Amino acid sequence: MHHLLRGLPFAACALLALARPAGAQANEVPHIETKGARHALIVDGAPFLMLGAQINNSSSWPAAMPGVWPAMEAMHVNTVEAPIGWEQIEPEEGHFDCAAVDLLLEQARAHKVRLVLLWFATWKNTNPQYAPSWVKLDNARFPRMRRADGTFHYALSPFAAATLAADSKAFAALMRHLREVDPQNTVIMVQVENEPGTYGLARDHSPEANKAFAGPVPEALRKRTGKGPGSWSALYGRDAELYFHAWSIARYIDQVAAAGKAEKPLPMYVNAALPGSPFTWQDPATYASGGPANTVIEVYKAAAPHLDLVAPDIYTTAHKDYTGFLDSYERADNALFVPETGHARDYARFFFEAVGRGAIGWSPFGIDRLRYLPSYPLTSKLNDEALAPFAANYALFGQLARLWPRWALAGKTWGAAESEDPADGHRQVLDLGRYRAEVSFGRGDWGAGEAKGNDWPKGGVAIAEIAPDEYLVTGHFARVEFALRDPARANLILDRVEEGHYNDAGNWVFERVWNGDQVDWGLNFTAANQVLHVKLASYPIR
Ligand code: DGJ
């Protein structure tokens, strides 16, 4: 049926509405819920933690699917992030073809996983390469940005009304199709564009852009940044071009998102190519200027109300930088989500850090068996051995995918990832309120030995408060020791440490009590997937 539909006019995507599965009911559309500074992705009416993996850029074609699913199964994901290119669904103007979407939906359902679709359109890593030929080859109708000397840059201009209209129309067709054929919400979130912006150019210098840059800063932005009226240069100085470009691209993407949301209001976000460090200023022309980098989150918040969140693609294994980027995106007005991170083994530990902070999802990039040359900085060879640390995390958290995000939304979760920097002492202290949890790495198998760090940075811990004085504790390659925040007032005692697991109904299934050697030197996590319930108590000092 799919190939028969290829090339049919506009209705071809919508026609597939006839393919609605018998008896499928329209369920509550996924959305983001916020409580205080924490957030949850609500799927089927309840919080859902995305244990994700993103397939390679060229892997969402029907012929590639057999190379996708074995990797997803090995990794125990519950969510697959898959691109849908504009060229795939509108190869000729006005002729829509959603066959690739339908196959993804069908196979995701068969594998009992959810989808995040990535709309590769005007900007994919800033480039228009996923726009159909009728767009990317028609520079008169769909103009590129200009450099200061008037020459064309490779990226499409956000000031071109025709490009915005065409992208919005195609995206709306995709979202309308989802409304028609996905009442059960297999697709739970949509990324609008991919790492937008420009490399090697801080902002567009087309005549329209120059006119806007010379004009006043829009009120929504200057109020948000606490400024009175003025020009971009007067208000933002060194950052004027960066802010202007981010505003221009964010306004464009917001309108694409709005067109899609009018058809089906799924949560929508944009991902960011980040500068080299979260701590130092970098010339915007040296990174993806205009994208939702950590430097311009305020601009995106002011410019793009139809985006539920902006999200960092984190490709550094340096603990300080990774956690620095998480700090930037973990905000009361922005749900933390890591839609891309590296799949080399040193990245796996950051899963614990992210979910501890209440991330709604986390997803290594480039997961499938399609034998592409790994792209920088993805250097690991993708086989089951390389995926093992990630697979172990997801096997551990599969049972918690519905429970963890409830505790996270309530602000009752904490996490730690091992730092590779010896200056950090191979220890971290988590502040749980009444209690502290000291997490240390590389203590040896047993005993009071110094924390030396693991043979490679592989340790991680996640803790949730599940009842007063009661904590769920889990992790890999780490020791956890509890202490009272104020040890002068009472002595801490472990009342009971249970190991167990959660069954499919979400109920705790007790397996055994850890005591004696298993608690005398802290709670020690190895490669084994172990979940503990720890009940703390105290007795008086005198
Ligand atoms: C970030 C992009 O968003 C992905 O599509 C992919 O190109 C990766 N970089 C790395 O190769």
Side-chain angles (χ1 to χ4, degrees):
M1 174 176 170
H2 299 129
H3 62 276
L4 290 178
L5 291 171
R6 195 175 301 265
L8 283 183
F10 177 73
C13 280
L15 260 186
L16 288 166
L18 300 175
R20 176 186 291 211
Q25 298 294 313
N27 297 320
E28 182 182 328
V29 175
H31 55 275
I32 304 283
E33 188 177 317
T34 297
K35 267 191 199 154
R38 288 293 189 95
H39 313 270
L41 174 63
I42 307 297
V43 175
D44 299 335
F48 178 76
L49 173 62
M50 291 181 281
L51 306 173
Q54 185 168 147
I55 64 177
N56 278 295
N57 293 163
S58 306
S59 299
S60 50
W61 292 91
M65 284 295 119
V68 165
W69 297 113
M72 296 303 153
E73 282 162 17
M75 203 158 144
H76 309 298
V77 305
N78 65 17
T79 304
V80 176
E81 295 177 11
I84 292 296
W86 184 0
E87 67 181 355
Q88 255 172 318
I89 75 155
E90 197 184 5
E92 287 172 57
E93 188 169 7
H95 291 231
F96 290 83
D97 177 350
C98 286
V101 179
D102 292 314
L103 193 76
L104 268 174
L105 288 171
E106 188 187 310
Q107 297 197 353
R109 288 171 191 150
H111 286 85
K112 298 194 171 18
V113 297
R114 299 299 179 118
L115 291 171
V116 173
L117 294 187
L118 318 173
W119 178 238
F120 286 7
T122 299
W123 296 291
K124 192 291 173 186
N125 296 19
T126 77
N127 200 297
Q129 62 199 148
Y130 279 83
S133 297
W134 59 269
V135 172
K136 64 188 174 193
L137 302 185
D138 189 347
N139 200 57
R141 187 172 161 208
F142 306 109
R144 286 170 170 74
M145 301 191 208
R146 286 182 194 268
R147 302 186 187 88
D149 66 4
T151 58
F152 284 115
H153 181 263
Y154 64 82
L156 295 179
S157 170
F159 286 90
T163 322
L164 173 61
D167 188 335
S168 302
K169 184 176 166 195
F171 185 60
L174 171 66
M175 296 307 295
R176 180 160 55 248
H177 186 66
L178 291 181
R179 187 185 74 212
E180 296 293 342
V181 303
D182 191 28
Q184 62 270 65
N185 304 310
T186 299
V187 177
I188 54 178
M189 193 145 92
V190 180
Q191 180 186 293
V192 192
E193 314 295 343
N194 187 87
E195 294 193 349
T198 42
Y199 288 107
L201 186 71
R203 72 165 176 93
D204 187 6
H205 292 264
S206 63
E208 300 76 12
N210 284 341
K211 192 167 163 229
F213 187 66
V217 171
E219 191 180 339
L221 179 59
R222 62 176 181 72
K223 286 211 163 145
R224 196 173 179 101
T225 53
K227 304 278 189 189
S231 70
W232 291 89
S233 299
L235 298 194
Y236 302 120
R238 179 187 74 176
D239 290 323
E241 294 201 312
L242 173 72
Y243 281 26
F244 170 78
H245 201 40
W247 172 269
S248 311
I249 290 182
R251 284 298 307 136
Y252 180 109
I253 296 176
D254 188 63
Q255 292 170 79
V256 177
K261 281 204 165 181
E263 299 295 341
K264 183 167 185 179
L266 283 172
M268 293 185 187
Y269 72 98
V270 189
N271 59 332
L274 299 168
S277 155
F279 304 112
T280 49
W281 189 87
Q282 228 175 284
D283 178 350
T286 64
Y287 61 101
S289 180
N294 55 310
T295 45
V296 291
I297 295 175
E298 287 309 331
V299 181
Y300 266 74
K301 290 295 166 189
H306 294 92
L307 293 178
D308 295 81
L309 57 117
V310 289
D313 292 348
I314 312 185
Y315 288 98
T316 170
T317 56
H319 183 270
K320 193 163 170 270
D321 291 340
Y322 203 109
T323 53
F325 283 124
L326 293 178
D327 285 341
S328 303
Y329 288 84
E330 178 192 352
R331 299 165 44 126
D333 63 358
N334 196 69
L336 182 62
F337 173 44
V338 182
E340 283 184 42
T341 198
H343 65 231
R345 66 181 189 175
D346 288 19
Y347 284 95
R349 71 208 208 265
F350 292 114
F351 169 76
F352 293 100
E353 178 80 39
V355 297
R357 290 164 179 252
I360 62 169
W362 190 81
S363 176
F365 174 81
I367 309 297
D368 57 45
R369 296 273 165 79
L370 284 149
R371 294 169 172 260
Y372 306 110
L373 189 67
S375 54
Y376 176 84
L378 310 173
T379 49
S380 72
K381 281 195 185 142
L382 258 194
N383 50 36
D384 285 354
E385 198 189 323
L387 289 184
F390 299 91
N393 291 347
Y394 286 1
L396 177 62
F397 261 73
Q399 61 190 306
L400 300 173
R402 288 290 185 182
L403 293 163
W404 187 268
R406 285 176 197 267
W407 300 318
L409 181 61
K412 305 280 190 187
T413 58
W414 299 265
E418 178 173 1
S419 171
E420 73 295 342
D421 185 349
D424 293 335
H426 310 295
R427 304 170 180 267
Q428 293 171 41
V429 176
L430 303 178
D431 180 356
L432 313 179
R434 188 167 176 222
Y435 303 102
R436 298 264 191 274
E438 186 185 87
V439 182
S440 54
F441 303 98
R443 302 290 292 263
D445 293 337
W446 207 68
E450 267 309 288
K452 296 197 174 78
N454 288 303
D455 50 347
W456 55 275
K458 61 188 178 187
V461 159
I463 298 179
E465 186 185 322
I466 55 174
D469 305 315
E470 194 167 346
Y471 294 87
L472 180 151
V473 188
T474 191
H476 288 140
F477 304 107
R479 174 177 296 184
V480 178
E481 292 164 289
F482 284 94
L484 278 159
R485 165 185 232 147
D486 188 355
R489 296 173 65 151
N491 292 298
L492 181 74
I493 181 172
L494 294 173
D495 177 10
R496 188 173 165 93
V497 178
E498 290 187 3
E499 183 184 343
H501 65 272
Y502 286 90
N503 63 18
D504 290 346
N507 297 318
W508 177 245
V509 180
F510 165 80
E511 289 167 13
R512 61 174 165 150
V513 168
W514 281 23
N515 212 336
D517 289 346
Q518 277 62 59
V519 301
D520 287 345
W521 304 100
L523 307 172
N524 290 284
F525 293 92
T526 62
N529 277 347
Q530 292 170 318
V531 181
L532 304 180
H533 274 190
V534 180
K535 198 148 179 27
L536 301 175
S538 59
Y539 60 92
I541 297 279
R542 63 181 74 244

